[in-house]
Every structure is written in C-alpha cells, then in structure tokens.
C-alpha cells in the first residue's frame, strides 16, 4: 500500500502538484503508515483498507467524471465552433449579398439619374428652342412695327415740311405784300 501513497505524476510531485493533490497524498500516506504501524490490529487495518478503498473508488469516479466532462466540453466546444463558423459564414454571405444589392441599387439609381438627366436636357433644349423662336418672332414683329413707325413718322415729317414750305411761301408773299404796302405808303 505504501507504493500507492508515494506515487508521483510526471512533474515529480504527487498527482500533478496541486495543493489538493498534495493534501490527498499526505493523508493517504498517513493512513498507510498508520495501518503499517498497527499491522497486527485487524480492526484498524480493516478501517484503513476501507478508507483506502473508498478513496480509490472516489478517485476512480472523479477521474471518470473528469474524462466525461472533458469529452462533453470538447464536444460542446466543437459544436460551438461549428455554430460560430456557420454564423460567420452566414454573416459573410449576407454581407456579400448586401454588397451585391448595394451595387445593384447604385447601378439602377445611376441609370435612373442618367435617364432623368437626358429627359431634363431634352426638355431644356425644347424650352430654349421655343424661347429662341419667340424671341425671333418678337424681334421680327418689333422690326415691322419700327419700320411702320418710321414710315409714318417720315410721312408726317414730309407733310410737316410741305406745310412749312407752304407757310414759308405764304409768309414770304405776305412779307412782300407788306413791304409793297409799306413802300407805297412811303413813296406816296
């Protein structure tokens, strides 16, 4: 039994060198030493062997539970990693799809804006053409009106000059007549 109490792990310390393992090792050694000291006492030997058997059974159950927990946690870790990888993959697919959708939306928006710009440009060209046509017609109409105004004004000026000439002639004749009358009075 003493060989069980003095066994050490690969680190040179009993059962991995933890504080709990060290306490366990000392307690087991003390129990073995007590049983060896009173080897002739069957009752004490039976108690020591029973305690050691309980301890070994508990150790076996603990080791089995540790193995089970390690296996379970390893499986859970693999499951979580798979779930995380799946989530990341789905997220990347969604981002790629979203990027594609954004590119498609931007392309469609650019196409619509280009069409709208072409339509607006056509409407502006038509409006400018119509405005130019109206301006041209307005200038032509003003030209006709101006020519008519100049013609009427010229006629009025000619009439005014004719009247002035007639008046001048009348005034001259009147002046001649006045001078004659004045001269006749002077010479008479």
């Amino acid at each position: 039994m003493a060989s069980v109490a003095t066994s050490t792990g690969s680190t040179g310390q009993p059962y991995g060198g933890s504080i709990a393992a060290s306490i366990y090792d000392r307690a087991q050694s003390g129990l073995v030493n007590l049983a060896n000291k009173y080897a002739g006492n069957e009752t004490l030997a039976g108690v020591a062997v029973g305690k050691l058997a309980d301890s070994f059974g508990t150790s076996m159950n603990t080791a089995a539970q540790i193995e089970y927990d390690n296996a379970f946690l390893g499986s859970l870790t693999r499951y979580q990693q798979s779930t995380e990888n799946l989530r990341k993959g789905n997220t990347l697919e969604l981002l790629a799809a979203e990027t594609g959708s954004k590119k498609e939306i931007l392309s469609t928006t650019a196409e619509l804006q280009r069409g709208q710009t072409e339509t607006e440009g056509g409407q502006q060209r038509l409006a400018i053409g119509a405005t130019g046509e109206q301006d041209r017609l307005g200038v032509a109409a003003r030209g006709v009106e101006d020519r008519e105004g100049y013609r009427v004004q010229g006629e009025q000026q000619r009439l005014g000059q004719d009247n002035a000439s007639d008046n001048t002639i009348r005034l001259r004749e009147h002046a001649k007549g006045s001078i004659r009358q004045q001269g006749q009075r002077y010479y008479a």
Side-chain angles (χ1 to χ4, degrees):
M1 281 191 218
S3 65
V4 173
T6 59
S7 67
T8 59
S10 62
T11 61
Q13 295 190 6
Y15 306 106
S18 70
I19 293 174
S22 178
I23 292 170
Y24 180 85
D25 189 48
R26 280 193 312 242
Q28 187 180 33
S29 293
L31 189 59
V32 170
N33 288 338
L34 183 64
N36 287 337
K37 186 176 182 181
Y38 298 103
N41 188 339
E42 287 184 29
T43 305
L44 192 54
V47 170
V49 169
K51 282 286 186 192
L52 288 173
D54 285 344
S55 174
F56 295 148
T58 301
S59 294
M60 285 177 17
N61 289 338
T62 301
Q65 185 64 44
I66 289 170
E67 286 299 316
Y68 172 80
D69 288 347
N70 285 344
F72 175 76
L73 292 175
S75 176
L76 184 62
T77 300
R78 286 189 300 278
Y79 173 76
Q80 287 176 333
Q81 285 175 343
S82 295
T83 303
E84 186 66 20
N85 289 341
L86 182 62
R87 185 188 65 77
K88 283 180 183 177
N90 288 343
T91 301
L92 290 175
E93 283 183 32
L94 288 172
L95 288 173
E98 184 178 331
T99 300
S101 295
K102 283 183 181 177
K103 285 180 182 177
E104 188 175 320
I105 288 170
L106 290 174
S107 175
T108 303
T109 302
E111 186 70 24
L112 289 173
Q113 287 176 343
R114 186 178 60 78
Q116 184 177 3
T117 301
E118 287 177 358
T119 303
E120 287 175 358
Q123 290 174 347
Q124 286 176 349
R125 281 191 299 278
L126 290 174
I128 290 170
T131 302
E133 184 66 20
Q134 289 174 350
D135 288 348
R136 188 184 64 76
L137 291 174
V139 168
R142 276 195 307 271
V144 169
E145 290 173 1
D146 288 348
R147 280 192 303 275
E148 183 64 25
Y150 294 141
R151 187 187 62 76
V152 169
Q153 186 179 10
E155 286 178 8
Q156 289 175 354
Q157 284 178 350
R158 279 192 300 277
L159 289 175
Q161 287 174 355
D162 289 345
N163 286 337
S165 295
D166 290 343
N167 286 338
T168 304
I169 291 172
R170 274 188 230 125
L171 285 175
R172 281 185 191 160
E173 286 178 11
H174 180 63
K176 284 180 191 177
S178 294
I179 292 173
R180 267 187 239 152
Q181 282 177 357
Q182 292 278 338
Q184 285 173 1
R185 273 191 241 160
Y186 179 70
Y187 290 111

